Amino acid sequence: MATKVFVPRLGEGVDEVTVTKWLKQEGDSIKELEPLLEVNTDKVDTEIPAPASGVVLKIIAQEGQVGKVGELLAVIGQPGESVDNEKLIVDNALEVKAVSNQQLAQPTINSQPQTTNKEMGFISPVVAKIAAEHGVNLSQITGTGLNGRITKNDVLSFVENGKKTTDSRQPSAVSRQPSITFNEGDQLIKHTPIRKSIADHMVMSKHTSPHVLTVMEADMSKVAKHRSANKAIFERDGVNLTFTAYFMSAIVAGLKHYPIVNSSWSDEGILVRKNINLGMAVSLGEDGLIVPVIKNADDLSLLAMARSINDLANRARNKKLQPDDVKGGTFTLTNHGTSGSLFAFPVINQPQTGILGIGAMQKRVVVIDDAIAIRPMVYMSFVFDHRILDGASADWFLAKVKETLENWS
């Protein structure tokens, strides 16, 4: 009997995926739980395993196609088994309807009429009413409220600027670029879902908050000494002790002393986050980058921090992350120095307040107590939202990170 493969729910709030690559083709044999295809959501590439052993009888969703939770992806059966295409279409429609009805049946917390959109989040009745009156497409507005929520003022400002539109969708950051002319020999590399998502998020971030950069230099002598003394011990526990673990722990110290940095902007006020959830940018090579999140990082020892970093980095590079692994971050670290960069001006990962960039560690000549010395030094580039932090408060935080690293014991 044929087994149908449906789009699974990969995480809370994940309603659709993009098929990025089929690992098996029609006619190929496959074993139960063997990877069948790769899908992308929230910049995370995830493998979907086969629910049964057999042969891939039919592939329904093609690469690049978007599928909603409950939609049919493929059919697995026995060699020679026939597939009724018309019945598949009917069954798929019924399955999607059942999933939709299940979602509609969920109880609402607030009895006040409301609406939501998977990209825009909560839309209040007032905002929806004003948008309808002025013919405004809400998907074209970048929200400044809590968690990116669109506020009444956002809509009114949009109307005043004369940006009304009847388009059904907001063009991506890529499509808003000027048109280009192709010459003979030029090569067009198609955008991947990850690249499109990165482009949209970066442009949105620069349009959302005023970015300001402050830089300090840290002497890594004591950290380097501690790492050399403990690297072998950590390895016996199966953990690779990287400098990233020290930087993350120093960030935790800074955020504990200055909680305002662990916050988000909203029209109602500054939301200071209770939990410290640290994101770390992980390069995926030509595929771009992704930012998995270490939840409750303030509860972790150096060993536990290093173990979490190892786990997330490995799963990111092997496409084993889940959508929840990249959500909920309150502050981000990007270690651009791994490729030799000394300085950088990172882009804030909205709706966070700041991002810290770490440059390459180099032995440099410095003056200590009026004497010349050679020390392993790094530049730390802190980019912050000037709506929330001023120069002094940003420097206080960065100075605490520097102090923690330089006095490691």
Side-chain angles (χ1 to χ4, degrees):
M1 182 178 178
T3 301
K4 296 168 186 171
V5 184
F6 298 102
V7 177
R9 183 171 296 281
L10 297 175
E12 184 179 355
V14 179
D15 298 320
E16 64 182 27
V17 302
T18 300
V19 177
T20 54
K21 183 180 181 180
W22 281 98
L23 304 176
K24 297 288 184 178
Q25 301 300 319
E26 291 184 4
D28 289 350
S29 298
I30 191 168
K31 296 180 179 179
E32 185 178 3
L33 300 183
E34 185 180 357
L36 175 61
L37 75 156
E38 292 179 359
V39 299
N40 180 276
T41 179
D42 289 329
K43 296 199 299 183
V44 175
D45 283 330
T46 304
E47 291 180 346
I48 303 298
S53 298
V55 172
V56 179
L57 299 177
K58 185 76 174 178
I59 289 179
I60 308 298
Q62 302 304 312
E63 292 182 0
Q65 183 176 332
V66 175
K68 296 183 180 298
V69 171
E71 285 187 347
L72 188 62
L73 292 171
V75 179
I76 296 174
Q78 299 304 312
E81 189 174 354
S82 62
V83 176
D84 187 336
N85 289 332
E86 291 186 3
K87 187 174 186 302
L88 285 179
I89 294 174
V90 173
D91 289 349
N92 188 33
L94 292 174
E95 179 69 23
V96 174
K97 184 177 181 180
V99 172
S100 299
N101 289 339
Q102 183 180 10
Q103 292 173 341
L104 290 173
Q106 297 297 322
T108 56
I109 298 176
N110 191 335
S111 60
Q112 183 181 19
Q114 61 182 359
T115 181
T116 59
N117 178 287
K118 62 178 179 296
E119 295 179 350
M120 294 182 290
F122 171 77
I123 303 298
S124 72
V126 173
V127 168
K129 183 174 184 296
I130 295 174
E133 291 175 349
H134 294 277
V136 171
N137 177 15
L138 290 173
S139 67
Q140 290 188 311
I141 299 178
T142 299
T144 62
L146 183 62
N147 294 327
R149 179 171 61 83
I150 298 175
T151 67
K152 171 184 174 181
N153 290 336
D154 293 332
V155 180
L156 294 177
S157 297
F158 190 86
V159 173
E160 290 175 2
N161 291 333
K163 296 181 179 178
K164 298 180 185 178
T165 180
T166 57
D167 292 340
S168 61
R169 294 189 61 171
Q170 178 183 13
S172 69
V174 175
S175 65
R176 288 195 294 269
Q177 301 302 316
S179 60
I180 57 176
T181 302
F182 291 92
N183 298 317
E184 185 177 355
D186 293 346
Q187 178 187 9
L188 179 64
I189 301 175
K190 294 292 186 180
H191 298 303
T192 63
I194 288 180
R195 179 54 58 194
K196 287 182 178 179
S197 180
I198 291 173
D200 284 336
H201 194 64
M202 295 299 97
V203 172
M204 178 274 289
S205 181
K206 294 291 283 187
H207 287 173
T208 298
S209 60
H211 286 52
V212 179
L213 170 69
T214 184
V215 179
M216 290 186 185
E217 195 174 18
D219 181 348
M220 297 291 289
S221 298
K222 291 187 177 180
V223 166
K225 182 178 179 180
H226 185 276
R227 180 172 179 265
S228 296
N230 291 275
K231 197 170 188 297
I233 298 174
F234 277 52
E235 286 177 352
R236 287 201 292 269
D237 288 328
V239 176
N240 179 24
L241 180 57
T242 64
F243 283 104
T244 300
Y246 293 93
F247 293 128
M248 295 288 255
S249 297
I251 289 172
V252 168
L255 295 178
K256 281 186 172 181
H257 274 75
Y258 302 101
I260 192 68
V261 183
N262 195 53
S263 65
S264 296
W265 173 271
S266 76
D267 281 352
E268 293 80 10
I270 298 172
L271 177 62
V272 179
R273 306 288 184 177
K274 176 183 178 182
N275 296 330
I276 296 179
N277 300 332
L278 298 186
M280 59 175 191
V282 177
S283 174
L284 301 177
E286 294 182 355
D287 292 334
L289 60 85
I290 196 166
V291 185
V293 177
I294 296 177
K295 307 292 174 59
N296 299 311
D298 49 322
D299 292 336
L300 302 182
S301 64
L302 184 64
L303 175 62
M305 183 75 78
R307 182 179 283 115
S308 295
I309 291 169
N310 292 176
D311 171 60
L312 287 175
N314 289 333
R315 288 199 286 122
R317 297 186 179 109
N318 292 306
K319 299 181 179 180
K320 299 295 185 182
L321 289 176
Q322 296 298 311
D324 286 344
D325 290 327
V326 298
K327 293 182 178 179
T330 60
F331 191 92
T332 298
L333 169 75
T334 175
N335 196 347
H336 55 86
T338 55
S339 56
S341 168
L342 296 178
F343 289 100
F345 196 130
V347 178
I348 296 171
N349 189 8
Q350 298 294 338
Q352 298 168 22
T353 291
I355 181 170
L356 181 64
I358 303 295
M361 187 183 306
Q362 291 186 328
K363 288 186 176 180
R364 291 196 283 271
V365 176
V366 295
V367 177
I368 300 176
D369 296 329
D370 293 332
I372 294 177
I374 298 176
R375 295 287 186 269
M377 308 294 292
V378 295
Y379 292 111
M380 301 185 299
S381 306
F382 178 39
V383 178
F384 58 93
D385 185 340
H386 209 346
R387 298 175 302 175
I388 299 174
L389 301 179
D390 298 317
S393 53
D395 287 344
W396 295 337
F397 162 76
L398 190 55
K400 184 61 183 179
V401 174
K402 169 184 168 74
E403 175 192 329
T404 303
L405 293 170
E406 293 186 337
N407 292 283
W408 198 278
S409 59

